[in-house]
Amino acid sequence: MPAVNIGMPRVPEILAPRRRSRQINVGKVKVGGDAPVSVQSMTTTKTHDINGTLQQIAELTASGCEIVRVACPTDKDAEALKIIAMKSQIPVIADIHFQPKYVFEAIDAGCGAVRVNPGNIRKFDDKVGEIARAAKDAGVSLRIGVNAGSLDPRLLQKYGKATAEALVESAVWEASLFEEHDFHDFKISVKHNDPVVMVKAYRMLAERGEWPLHLGVTEAGPAFQGTIKSATAFGILLSEGIGDTIRVSLSAPPAEEVKVGHQILQSLNLRERTLEIVSCPSCGRAQVDVYTLAEDVTAGLEGMTVPLRVAVMGCVVNGPGEARDADLGVASGNGKGQIFVKGEVIKTVPEDEIVATLIAEANRLADEMGPDAAPGTAQVITV
């Protein structure tokens, strides 16, 4: 059979054009403007454990994380920032709360950016001018990180609770203070644990200025719940063009946050799709064990780094159509499977040879596409 040239897929149409925002630099990563939406995470190690923190940053980098945030609650953590920022392969953001002195230490340490929480840094408004001058002189950007869990007490008293209006008022006020000092290299987040409140806040904020926006559902919860809440909120906002960088906050290993973040962006065509496995959910029409088939194919293709769509189908109703529409697919039934490549049946194999055949064909197609595709993670999409 002649070689099939499946080429590199074009990025399909997106739901809405990106909101126009000012572009800033977080180290070597551009955020806002026409830059791709970037994926962030945060280390769970004690920052003063330099080796442990760098090891986790390396793991996050390998998983596709583009910007990493580290906590800085103590003097020992602040002292570690210089080495961590120097040795990390991706930009490091220092996460500062309570003590304003750590903002200046993080800037001096060469961090790519500093996250400041105006709701709990002591006398923050009085320090804005000094922070702006230090950040501008060092070429360091900031994130004004407003959070429902640590909102300024004056706003809580005014609104009664952390409403969308309260979050936005805090963010806009702090932004205006920095802008009075002619400092504009900052992005804003207005995080809430309720996706509905969070979406409302970001929509309001997006109408108030051209600041780049960092999206997050704070304290989203364990992996399953947090993934659903983040995907729902991010999906709404990103589909409207709102959002320049994201962090999926999960009570789970940080690499899982990165995996979910990339998958959200790919699902909205804001990132080139990588390895995608389309499989049916199974039903009474299925003539094979679709669950096991899909799991075995997914496991066999783990680590594949090319944008390849593989359909694993278990009946004669949707199977042939889905398999024909994919780069590679199988329509299974009656103890055998028809193998499709780019819409053409290339062979029919016994059921017990389907997995091995799909893996072999996927590797052949991957070799033809070359080694330059971005790393991807297999996903299973039920249809």
Side-chain angles (χ1 to χ4, degrees), residues 357-379:
T357 303
L358 286 176
I359 292 172
E361 289 296 325
N363 286 321
R364 181 180 66 80
L365 293 172
D367 289 342
E368 291 181 4
M369 295 174 73
D372 298 328
T377 302
Q379 60 168 323

Side-chain angles (χ1 to χ4, degrees), residues 197-260:
V197 177
M198 177 268 203
V199 167
K200 182 179 179 182
Y202 277 99
R203 281 174 169 168
M204 293 170 61
L205 190 59
E207 294 178 352
R208 298 289 297 272
E210 294 185 349
W211 311 291
L213 301 181
H214 169 84
L215 301 187
V217 178
T218 190
E219 292 99 31
F224 178 76
Q225 175 182 293
T227 295
I228 298 299
K229 290 171 71 172
S230 297
T232 299
F234 292 4
I236 292 169
L237 291 168
L238 292 168
S239 70
E240 296 173 1
I242 298 172
D244 300 291
T245 183
I246 64 173
R247 189 242 172 142
V248 178
S249 298
L250 301 178
S251 300
E256 289 300 306
E257 299 183 349
V258 177
K259 178 180 177 180
V260 173

Side-chain angles (χ1 to χ4, degrees), residues 182-195:
D182 195 29
F183 185 81
H184 305 276
D185 292 334
F186 61 86
K187 59 184 182 293
I188 300 177
S189 63
V190 281
K191 294 187 176 183
H192 199 287
N193 59 62
D194 185 332

